[in-house]
C-alpha cells in the first residue's frame, strides 16, 4: 500500500453561493456504507464541479487517506481515464505496456485498503470508461468515487444525484428585500454583479426584474453569472427586456474559466456534439414543446409524409431516456399521473436553433399542432363526464402547447385547424377564467379577411358570443349568437341550434329580460329532450331554473334544479352538479334557510375548486359571504367578499343584473353590522388572502341551532350510524348495497333535519341525542 502525495484541490476564484442543502445531501450519501460510486448529474452550467469541490472541502476529515481530484474535460479517449487517475493520485511510475487491465491492477495494488475519495470531473465524453471505474472499485474496498457528468455511468453500483437549479423566488408573491436577498439565484446574481459594478444593489426598483431574470434563466448558475456580468451595460430592467433571445446575451466569462463555459452556447454545444444522430434529431424536435410535454406526445413528432423512417415506440422511449440521462431533459417536479419532461429555457433555445438549421421547423410545428388539436377535441367530448376534472387539469397543464398550436395554425393560414382548436377550447377558457384570451383567439379567427367554412364559422361565433357575455359585452354577444343561430339553422344543425338557443337565453338573463330568457331555454330544453341528449338537457334545465327563480317561481325552479342534479349525477358531470347545488343553495339563502344554504354552497364550492373553475369560485364565495352576513358574522363576510372581488377583477368578468341585485343586498346587510373602517379593513384583508385560507373560512361550520324535533327515517338512521362508526361514503354504499349518490342524498337530508352542516357535527349530534 502506497501513501499518495497530498493533493491541493482546485481553488475556485469566486465563492460558492448557496448549495448548503445540496452539499449536505451529497455528504450524507457519501457517508452511507452502500454508496461507493456517486454521480452528480445535470446540464452544463448547473454547477456540478463547484458542488463536487465544495463537498471535497467539507469531506476532508472523513477520508483520512485523502481526497483526490481528477479533471477529465480534456481527456477524449476513454482508454486514457485510468492513466489520468494515476496522474491525479500523484503516481508517476505506472506501466502502460499491459493496457488498461495492467494499469487497473497496479492502481488497485497501490490504493489497497486506503480510505480515500476520488473525484472524477466531466466524465460525459469518456462514458465508455465506466466499466474501468467499476472494476477499480471492486479491488479497492475502502475507495469511494464521486463523479460529475451530464449523464449517469449506468453501473449497478452507481447512485445518482441530479443537481437542481438554484432556488428561485415566487414572482407572484415577491418576498421583502431582506428575504429576497438570501434566495440562492438572486444572491448569486447580486454577488456576481457586485464584482463588475461595486455600487450595485438589490433595491425595490430592480428586485422584480432581477427575480424575473433568474426565473427566465431557470436558476441555472452559469447563465445567471453570465447575465450578471452584463450589468455594467444593461441594468436589470433593460436586461430583462432583452432576454427574449437568451444565448446571444449570455456570452463572455472570465478567461480563466474553461472555454466551454465562457458562453452558454458553447456549454450546450459540448453536450449536443456528444449525441448520436438519432438523439440529436429528437433533441431538436423536442424544442417544439412549450412548457414541457408528456411521453405520449413525442411519437406525434415523427408523423410525416416524406418517407422518413418512423422510429418504434421502444426506440423513442430509449432515446428519451438517453436525453434524460444526459441532462438535456428534466422531469417536472409537479408531474402527477403522467411523467412530464421539459427543457431548461437556455437548452431549448439552442435546440430550436438546430431545428431551424436542419430545415425541420415547419414539419415539426405541423405535427405538434395536429397532436394538440386531437387532444383538444377529445377533451371537448369529455368535458361533461366523470373525467371532467382530470381533462381540465390536463388542458391547463398543456395550455402553452395549445397556444403554440393555435399561433401556428392562424399564422400559417391553417384556419380550419385553428377554428377547430378554438371551438374545442372555449369551454376550458370559460371555466378556468381565460375569458379575454379566449376572445382574442376567436376575434382573430373571425377577422373579415379570414374565410371559414359556414359550419366552423357558426361554432366560432357561438363560442365567441358566450365569452363576450361573461365580460358584459352584450351587444357583441347578441350579434354573434344570432348570426350563429342563423348559420346553424340554414345547415339543419339541430344540436347546434339548441346550443345557441341556450346561450341566447343567457344573453337575455344577463340583460334582465327574464321572459325572453325563459322562452329561449324552453325551446332549447324541448329540443334536447326530443334528441334524448342528457348533456344538452342538464345545461338547459339549469338555465331555465335561473329564469324561473329570478321571476320568483322558487318551486318550479327547485324541480328543474333537482332534475338537473339527477341527470348530471348520472353523467358524473361535476360542473353541473356543482351548478345545481349552488343554485339550490342560493334559493335556500333567499328563503332564509341559511343552514341548508350553507351546506349546499359549501358542497358546490368544493366541486368547483376541484375543477379550477375560477369564475364560479368567485361567485360562490360571494354567495357564501351573504350567508355569513345573515348569520351575524359580518367580518367573515367582508373577508369573503374581498377575496371574491379580487378573483373577479383579475379575470375581467362581471355580474349580470339579477346577480348584482342579490349581491348588493348581501353586501349592504353585512356592512350595516360594522363601522365602515372595520368593514373596509376586513374586505381589504380578504383581497390579500390565499385561496386555501379563504376556502377554510367559507366552509367552516355554521353554529348549530338547537333542535328538539327531528324525524330520521330508518334508512337515514342506518346510514348515520355507519357514518359515525367511521366508514367512508363508498364503504357505506357498499355495505348497504346503495349507490354513492343515494348515500350522499340520505346524509344531506339527515343533516338538514338535525340542523348540522358537516360530518363532525352530525357525529356529535347523533351521540349527544342517543341516535347511535
Amino acid at each position: 500500500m502506497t501513501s499518495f502525495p497530498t493533493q491541493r484541490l482546485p481553488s475556485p476564484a469566486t465563492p460558492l453561493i448557496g448549495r448548503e442543502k445540496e452539499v449536505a445531501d451529497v455528504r450524507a450519501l457519501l457517508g452511507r456504507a452502500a454508496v461507493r460510486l456517486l454521480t452528480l448529474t445535470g446540464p452544463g452550467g448547473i454547477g456540478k464541479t463547484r458542488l463536487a469541490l465544495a463537498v471535497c472541502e467539507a469531506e476532508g476529515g472523513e477520508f483520512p487517506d485523502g481526497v483526490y481530484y481528477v479533471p477529465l474535460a480534456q481527456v477524449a479517449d476513454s482508454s486514457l481515464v485510468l492513466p489520468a487517475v494515476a496522474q491525479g493520485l500523484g503516481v508517476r511510475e505506472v506501466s502502460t505496456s499491459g493496457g488498461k487491465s495492467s494499469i487497473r491492477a497496479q492502481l488497485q495494488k497501490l490504493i489497497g485498503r486506503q480510505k480515500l475519495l476520488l473525484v472524477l470531473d466531466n466524465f460525459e465524453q469518456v462514458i465508455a470508461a465506466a466499466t474501468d471505474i467499476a472494476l477499480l472499485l471492486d479491488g479497492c474496498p475502502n475507495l469511494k468515487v464521486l463523479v460529475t457528468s451530464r449523464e449517469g455511468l449506468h453501473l449497478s453500483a452507481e447512485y445518482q444525484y441530479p443537481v437542481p437549479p438554484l432556488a428561485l423566488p415566487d414572482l407572484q408573491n415577491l418576498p421583502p428585500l431582506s428575504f429576497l436577498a438570501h434566495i440562492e439565484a438572486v444572491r448569486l446574481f447580486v454577488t456576481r454583479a457586485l464584482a463588475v459594478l461595486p455600487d450595485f444593489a438589490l433595491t425595490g426598483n430592480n428586485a422584480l426584474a432581477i427575480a424575473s431574470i433568474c426565473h427566465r434563466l431557470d436558476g441555472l448558475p452559469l447563465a445567471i453569472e453570465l447575465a450578471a456580468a452584463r450589468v455594467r451595460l444593461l441594468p436589470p430592467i433593460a436586461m430583462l427586456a432583452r432576454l427574449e433571445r437568451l444565448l446571444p446575451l449570455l456570452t463572455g466569462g472570465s478567461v480563466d474559466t474553461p472555454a466551454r463555459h465562457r458562453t452558454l452556447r458553447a456549454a450546450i454545444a459540448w453536450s449536443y456534439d456528444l449525441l448520436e444522430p438519432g438523439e440529436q434529431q429528437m433533441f431538436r424536435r423536442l424544442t417544439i414543446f412549450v412548457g414541457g410535454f408528456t411521453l405520449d406526445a413525442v411519437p406525434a413528432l415523427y408523423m410525416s409524409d416524406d418517407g422518413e423512417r418512423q422510429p418504434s415506440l421502444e426506440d423513442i422511449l430509449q432515446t428519451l431516456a438517453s436525453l434524460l440521462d444526459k441532462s438535456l431533459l428534466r422531469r417536472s417536479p409537479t408531474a402527477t399521473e403522467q411523467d412530464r419532461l421539459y427543457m431548461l429555457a437556455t437548452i431549448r433555445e439552442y435546440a430550436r436553433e438546430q431545428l431551424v438549421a436542419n430545415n425541420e421547423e415547419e414539419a415539426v410545428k405541423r405535427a405538434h399542432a395536429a397532436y394538440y388539436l386531437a387532444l383538444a377535441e377529445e377533451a371537448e367530448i369529455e368535458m361533461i363526464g366523470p373525467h371532467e376534472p382530470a381533462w381540465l387539469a390536463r388542458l391547463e397543464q398543456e395550455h402553452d402547447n395549445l397556444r403554440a398550436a393555435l399561433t401556428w395554425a392562424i399564422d400559417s393560414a391553417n384556419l380550419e385547424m385553428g377554428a377547430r382548436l378554438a371551438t374545442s377550447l372555449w369551454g376550458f377558457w370559460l371555466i378556468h377564467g381565460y375569458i379575454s384570451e379566449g376572445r382574442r383567439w376567436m376575434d382573430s379567427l373571425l377577422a373579415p379577411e379570414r374565410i371559414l367554412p359556414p359550419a366552423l364559422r357558426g361554432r366560432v361565433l357561438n363560442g365567441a358570443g358566450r365569452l363576450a357575455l361573461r365580460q358584459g359585452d352584450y351587444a357583441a354577444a347578441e350579434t354573434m349568437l344570432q348570426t350563429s343561430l342563423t348559420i346553424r339553422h340554414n345547415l339543419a344543425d339541430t344540436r347546434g341550434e339548441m346550443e345557441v338557443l341556450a346561450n341566447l337565453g343567457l344573453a337575455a338573463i344577463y340583460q334582465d329580460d327574464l321572459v325572453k330568457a325563459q322562452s329561449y331555454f324552453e325551446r332549447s330544453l324541448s329540443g334536447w329532450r326530443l334528441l334524448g341528449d342528457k348533456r344538452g338537457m342538464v345545461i338547459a334545465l339549469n338555465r331555465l331554473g335561473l329564469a324561473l327563480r329570478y321571476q320568483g317561481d322558487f318551486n318550479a325552479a327547485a324541480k328543474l334544479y333537482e332534475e338537473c342534479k339527477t341527470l348530471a349525477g348520472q353523467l358524473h358531470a361535476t360542473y353541473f352538479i356543482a351548478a345545481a347545488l349552488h343554485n339550490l343553495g342560493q334559493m335556500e339563502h333567499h328563503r332564509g334557510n341559511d343552514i341548508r344554504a350553507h351546506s349546499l354552497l359549501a358542497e358546490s364550492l368544493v366541486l368547483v375548486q376541484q375543477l379550477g373553475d375560477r369564475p364560479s369560485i368567485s361567485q360562490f364565495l360571494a354567495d357564501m359571504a351573504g350567508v355569513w352576513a345573515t348569520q351575524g358574522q359580518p367580518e367573515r363576510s367582508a373577508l369573503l367578499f374581498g377575496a371574491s372581488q379580487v378573483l373577479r377583477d383579475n379575470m375581467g368578468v362581471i355580474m349580470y343584473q339579477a346577480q348584482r341585485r342579490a349581491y348588493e343586498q348581501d353586501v349592504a346587510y353585512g356592512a350595516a353590522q360594522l363601522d365602515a373602517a372595520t368593514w373596509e379593513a376586513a374586505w381589504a384583508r380578504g383581497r390579500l388572502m390565499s385561496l386555501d385560507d379563504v376556502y377554510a373560512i367559507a366552509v367552516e361550520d355554521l353554529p348549530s341551532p338547537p333542535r328538539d324535533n327531528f324525524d330520521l327515517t330508518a334508512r337515514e338512521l342506518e346510514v348515520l350510524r355507519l357514518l359515525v362508526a367511521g366508514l367512508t361514503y363508498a364503504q357505506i354504499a357498499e355495505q348497504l348495497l346503495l349507490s354513492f349518490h343515494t348515500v350522499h342524498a340520505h346524509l344531506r337530508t339527515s343533516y338538514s333535519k338535525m340542523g348540522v352542516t358537516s360530518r363532525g357535527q352530525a357525529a356529535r349530534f347523533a351521540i349527544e341525542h342517543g341516535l347511535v
Side-chain angles (χ1 to χ4, degrees):
M1 185 174 70
T2 301
S3 293
F4 303 111
T6 301
Q7 183 195 51
R8 181 178 177 83
L9 293 171
S11 181
T14 56
L16 181 66
I17 302 298
R19 297 300 197 193
E20 291 83 3
K21 179 183 182 300
E22 289 78 7
V23 169
D25 287 346
V26 174
R27 291 189 67 195
L29 282 168
L30 287 173
R32 290 165 53 183
V35 179
R36 300 195 53 220
L37 171 62
L38 177 60
T39 305
L40 307 183
T41 61
I46 199 73
K48 301 182 295 295
T49 299
R50 295 298 301 276
L51 177 58
L53 290 173
V55 169
C56 290
E57 291 289 348
E59 283 286 344
E62 303 300 321
F63 293 91
D65 296 308
V67 176
Y68 294 88
Y69 173 80
V70 181
L72 297 172
Q74 304 305 317
V75 178
D77 186 341
S78 60
S79 67
L80 300 178
V81 170
L82 289 180
V85 169
Q87 183 178 349
L89 291 170
V91 179
R92 296 179 182 275
E93 298 179 3
V94 173
S95 171
T96 60
S97 60
K100 289 194 295 184
S101 60
S102 173
I103 300 171
R104 185 174 61 249
Q106 293 174 72
L107 284 172
Q108 288 172 338
K109 182 177 180 181
L110 290 169
I111 295 171
R113 304 187 67 84
Q114 292 186 84
K115 187 175 183 181
L116 58 81
L117 176 65
L118 184 62
V119 181
L120 305 179
D121 191 24
N122 291 111
F123 206 91
E124 54 270 2
Q125 79 281 6
V126 287
I127 286 293
T131 53
D132 295 328
I133 303 305
L135 292 169
L136 179 63
L137 283 166
D138 286 344
C140 304
N142 295 323
L143 172 68
K144 292 203 175 192
V145 178
L146 179 63
V147 174
T148 75
S149 176
R150 297 182 196 186
E151 63 176 302
L153 276 59
H154 306 289
L155 297 171
S156 59
E158 181 186 32
Y159 287 74
Q160 289 190 22
Y161 184 85
V163 178
L166 294 174
L168 292 164
D170 181 353
L171 295 181
Q172 302 303 316
N173 298 286
L174 205 64
L177 290 183
S178 58
F179 186 85
L180 181 65
H182 289 90
I183 294 177
E184 289 180 347
V186 174
R187 189 171 144 207
L188 177 63
F189 185 97
V190 173
T191 302
R192 297 296 184 260
L194 280 167
V196 297
L197 196 64
D199 61 349
F200 184 83
L202 178 69
T203 68
N205 291 330
N206 64 22
L208 180 58
I210 292 173
S212 299
I213 289 168
C214 293
H215 266 274
R216 188 72 179 86
L217 300 177
D218 292 312
L220 196 67
L222 176 61
I224 292 171
E225 291 191 10
L226 292 170
R230 294 290 188 180
V231 296
R232 276 190 299 191
L233 295 174
L234 292 172
I237 294 173
M239 186 183 299
L240 181 62
R242 287 164 172 76
L243 277 179
E244 182 63 29
R245 288 293 309 282
L246 294 168
L247 296 180
L249 181 69
L250 305 179
T251 60
S254 304
V255 295
D256 58 348
T257 58
R260 66 185 185 282
H261 279 183
R262 289 180 199 156
T263 73
L264 198 57
R265 176 181 277 106
I268 300 168
W270 169 270
S271 293
Y272 180 74
D273 291 342
L274 293 174
L275 298 177
E276 298 294 330
E279 294 173 331
Q280 290 182 339
Q281 182 188 60
M282 180 176 286
F283 175 68
R284 296 192 299 266
R285 294 188 178 193
L286 292 177
T287 191
I288 206 67
F289 293 112
V290 187
F293 57 93
T294 54
L295 299 180
D296 58 2
V298 179
L301 302 186
Y302 290 87
M303 300 300 176
S304 68
D305 300 321
D306 60 4
E308 176 188 51
R309 186 185 73 82
Q310 307 302 307
S312 68
L313 180 60
E314 182 180 356
D315 288 342
I316 287 173
L317 291 177
Q318 285 181 351
T319 306
L320 280 171
S322 179
L323 293 176
L324 191 63
D325 286 343
K326 293 174 171 64
S327 304
L328 292 169
L329 293 177
R330 295 183 77 86
R331 280 194 173 88
S332 171
T334 58
T336 51
E337 293 182 8
Q338 289 188 307
D339 201 359
R340 191 168 184 84
L341 305 175
Y342 72 100
M343 284 183 181
L344 296 175
T346 46
I347 291 175
R348 182 172 177 267
E349 182 170 322
Y350 180 86
R352 176 58 65 92
E353 290 178 356
Q354 301 308 309
L355 185 75
V356 173
N358 282 271
N359 297 315
E360 296 172 301
E361 186 178 29
E362 190 63 20
V364 175
K365 280 184 173 180
R366 182 181 296 107
H368 173 272
Y371 173 81
Y372 283 101
L373 172 61
L375 180 77
E377 290 185 331
E378 184 178 0
E380 182 187 20
I381 294 170
E382 299 290 341
M383 286 286 278
I384 297 181
H387 305 299
E388 181 180 6
W391 274 103
L392 283 168
R394 186 165 185 194
L395 291 178
E396 183 67 51
Q397 191 177 52
E398 298 291 1
H399 202 184
D400 285 337
N401 279 310
L402 293 162
R403 288 168 171 140
L406 268 166
T407 299
W408 176 81
I410 293 173
D411 289 350
S412 62
N414 281 274
L415 296 183
E416 290 193 30
M417 177 180 281
R420 286 168 61 192
L421 258 169
T423 54
S424 296
L425 290 173
W426 72 259
F428 159 71
W429 288 329
L430 187 72
I431 290 174
H432 274 210
Y434 297 106
I435 317 296
S436 297
E437 179 181 348
R439 280 201 72 185
R440 286 195 298 272
W441 289 115
M442 295 292 196
D443 289 347
S444 178
L445 288 162
L446 293 171
E449 69 274 14
R450 294 192 166 121
I451 308 302
L452 290 170
L456 271 177
R457 182 171 176 79
R459 290 179 61 195
V460 173
L461 284 164
N462 178 60
R466 181 68 181 89
L467 293 171
L469 277 180
R470 205 69 181 87
Q471 291 184 312
D473 191 356
Y474 301 139
E478 186 87 30
T479 299
M480 288 187 284
L481 290 171
Q482 289 291 357
T483 305
S484 177
L485 184 66
T486 299
I487 291 172
R488 289 179 158 195
H489 177 76
N490 291 339
L491 293 172
D493 178 4
T494 304
R495 293 177 184 275
E497 280 191 78
M498 297 307 105
E499 184 181 358
V500 180
L501 285 170
N503 285 334
L504 281 167
L506 270 186
I509 276 196
Y510 283 16
Q511 296 171 84
D512 230 20
D513 191 341
L514 301 177
V515 174
K516 184 178 180 181
Q518 180 179 342
S519 173
Y520 277 130
F521 292 141
E522 286 174 342
R523 288 169 61 190
S524 178
L525 179 59
S526 176
W528 289 124
R529 287 195 193 280
L530 286 172
L531 291 169
D533 190 316
K534 291 183 179 180
R535 291 163 61 97
M537 288 166 62
V538 295
I539 298 172
L541 285 164
N542 183 63
R543 294 180 183 175
L544 180 56
L546 282 178
L548 294 177
R549 173 159 66 88
Y550 288 138
Q551 292 178 76
D553 192 347
F554 284 2
N555 290 334
K559 290 179 182 178
L560 291 166
Y561 292 147
E562 290 292 350
E563 185 181 356
C564 172
K565 183 160 65 68
T566 299
L567 281 179
Q570 293 172 6
L571 295 170
H572 303 284
T574 304
Y575 177 87
F576 285 102
I577 295 172
L581 290 168
H582 168 252
N583 287 324
L584 286 166
Q586 281 185 305
M587 202 156 55
E588 293 295 337
H589 172 52
H590 292 295
R591 282 172 162 171
N593 185 1
D594 278 334
I595 296 293
R596 177 76 172 137
H598 181 276
S599 176
L600 291 165
L601 290 173
E603 192 174 352
S604 64
L605 184 59
V606 168
L607 293 176
V608 294
Q609 182 186 1
Q610 292 172 0
L611 295 174
D613 181 355
R614 290 178 286 181
S616 292
I617 289 169
S618 171
Q619 184 59 48
F620 291 13
L621 286 173
D623 295 329
M624 192 69 95
V627 170
W628 283 107
T630 55
Q631 286 293 302
Q633 299 277 340
E635 195 161 349
R636 183 188 300 261
S637 174
L639 287 169
L640 296 178
F641 278 129
S644 169
Q645 183 192 42
V646 76
L647 279 173
R648 193 166 57 251
D649 291 348
N650 288 341
M651 291 179 290
V653 301
I654 55 90
M655 291 182 181
Y656 51 85
Q657 294 179 49
Q659 278 182 327
R660 173 66 61 180
R661 283 194 295 271
Y663 172 82
E664 290 176 348
Q665 181 180 349
D666 285 338
V667 170
Y669 192 92
Q673 300 175 56
L674 287 175
D675 63 89
T678 305
W679 174 262
E680 290 169 7
W683 190 297
R685 288 201 307 277
R687 289 180 60 87
L688 299 174
M689 290 176 64
S690 71
L691 271 182
D692 285 344
D693 290 340
V694 171
Y695 293 140
I697 289 174
V699 303
E700 187 174 317
D701 294 341
L702 287 175
S704 296
R707 292 287 297 265
D708 54 9
N709 183 22
F710 48 88
D711 53 343
L712 301 182
T713 66
R715 177 63 87 181
E716 288 165 354
L717 280 169
E718 200 172 12
V719 171
L720 180 62
R721 287 168 185 153
L722 292 175
L723 182 82
V724 174
L727 274 67
T728 65
Y729 287 12
Q731 290 168 332
I732 294 171
E734 181 178 2
Q735 185 156 330
L736 298 180
L737 301 179
L738 299 173
S739 72
F740 180 91
H741 291 292
T742 301
V743 170
H744 196 255
H746 280 313
L747 286 170
R748 209 165 53 241
T749 303
S750 301
Y751 285 7
S752 180
K753 289 178 179 179
M754 293 185 291
V756 300
T757 59
S758 71
R759 181 183 185 124
Q761 284 186 344
R764 288 194 299 273
F765 186 97
I767 293 168
E768 289 169 1
H769 292 78
L771 298 176
V772 293

